[in-house]
Amino acid sequence: MREGVTSTRLGLRGMPAAAESVCVARDVQLAELTGGRLHVAHPFRERIARPGALGQIARLSVTCEVTPHHFTLIDEDVQYDSRFKMNPPLASREDREALIAGLADGAVDVIATDHAPHEPALKDVEFDRAPFGILGFETAIALTLEQLVHTGKISLMRMVELFTTGPARVLSKERKLAAGQPADVTLFSTTHEWKYNVNDSPSKSRNSPFDGGRSRARQWRRSSPEKSSSSDNRPAFCLVCI
């Protein structure tokens, strides 16, 4: 839980925002010192929501990712319910807007699901005792379409880039769809009315704050071939709108 008014109201120990920004600033400086590459996993604070942009200014190899739950929810949405416990914790409205701006202007490289399933017995405890993390895989596309594409904050092609070629660039991997090559393809709809019911999930976990939520989007099917052991024959990843 992020330190602030909501953590005080709920009686929860808060994590100060500086704990995140100090760590990222340190790591960027170490990347500059060593000449190494740095990828920042889901930053969630206005001052550090653009580590890639900061790295570009300093001519460093710095990239970052954000998650659908961090650009959908804020600290004011948190209830005394461990399904809202994640790391980094949900932060302010201003922090969320900074993430969305970074997704739109290219400062953010990747949307990552941060999929963290936990068995119900581990999450069904007091907030402070529960592990961090929520389900992210099944709702990632729907939340991105509903929160970013349908609202006009990013284009559909930008969304596809953030899920496909963006991660490939971070990992220095080439991905393409071509005749005779294996492909990892996801089919989705941008208009299908969908209500997420976590109890219908194929996952054995149920830790999602989006249970019961509705969206005009749905992932229909993912087709993935067996991965080849050859480094030159890796499957591509593509999102296909229907």
Side-chain angles (χ1 to χ4, degrees):
M1 179 76 222
R2 176 58 58 83
E3 183 180 69
V5 174
T6 304
S7 65
T8 301
R9 177 174 57 83
L10 294 175
L12 295 172
R13 289 181 297 176
M15 300 169 65
E20 182 182 352
S21 56
V22 167
C23 286
V24 173
R26 176 203 63 189
D27 292 347
V28 169
Q29 290 184 60
L30 288 174
E32 181 178 17
L33 176 66
T34 63
R37 296 179 58 189
L38 172 65
H39 182 71
V40 182
H42 35 270
F44 195 13
R45 192 184 179 195
E46 183 178 6
R47 294 183 183 179
I48 60 169
R50 306 167 65 85
L54 294 175
Q56 292 167 13
I57 293 173
R59 299 182 181 276
L60 304 178
S61 181
V62 180
T63 55
C64 74
E65 66 189 45
V66 301
T67 74
H69 38 284
H70 283 111
F71 61 65
T72 300
L73 301 172
I74 59 176
D75 59 347
E76 296 173 17
D77 297 313
V78 176
Q79 305 171 26
Y80 192 84
D81 185 329
S82 63
R83 292 178 300 174
F84 290 87
K85 185 176 181 179
M86 56 199 72
N87 192 19
L90 298 171
S92 69
R93 192 178 306 275
E94 291 75 19
D95 290 326
R96 181 181 64 180
E97 292 307 310
L99 291 187
I100 294 174
L103 286 162
D105 66 18
V108 174
D109 305 274
V110 175
I111 293 177
T113 67
D114 192 30
H115 185 66
H118 295 287
E119 60 180 286
L122 291 177
K123 276 289 195 177
D124 192 18
V125 295
E126 294 88 342
F127 198 97
D128 284 342
R129 295 178 57 196
F132 293 103
I134 68 170
L135 296 176
F137 188 74
E138 293 174 299
T139 55
I141 291 177
L143 290 173
T144 304
L145 285 166
E146 190 69 25
Q147 298 294 322
L148 303 181
V149 177
H150 291 334
T151 57
K153 292 172 180 171
I154 66 172
S155 68
L156 182 61
M157 289 306 297
R158 173 61 176 157
M159 185 197 88
V160 172
E161 177 188 4
L162 288 162
F163 275 110
T164 58
T165 55
R169 284 195 300 270
V170 169
L171 297 172
S172 299
K173 302 294 184 182
E174 181 180 357
R175 292 290 185 269
K176 64 180 179 180
L177 292 175
Q181 297 297 314
D184 187 348
V185 178
T186 296
L187 302 179
F188 67 94
S189 168
T190 62
T191 58
H192 180 82
E193 295 286 343
W194 178 53
K195 180 179 179 180
Y196 177 52
N197 186 342
V198 74
N199 291 318
D200 294 336
S201 171
S203 173
K204 295 181 180 179
S205 303
R206 298 291 180 262
N207 52 306
S208 173
F210 302 111
D211 183 31
R214 294 182 178 275
S215 63
R216 290 174 295 149
R218 184 176 183 180
Q219 175 179 322
W220 284 106
R221 183 179 180 183
R222 183 184 179 204
S223 176
S224 178
E226 292 184 359
K227 291 185 178 180
S228 169
S229 59
S230 169
S231 61
D232 296 326
N233 194 30
R234 296 177 180 272
F237 180 73
C238 180
L239 299 178
V240 180
C241 176
I242 58 175

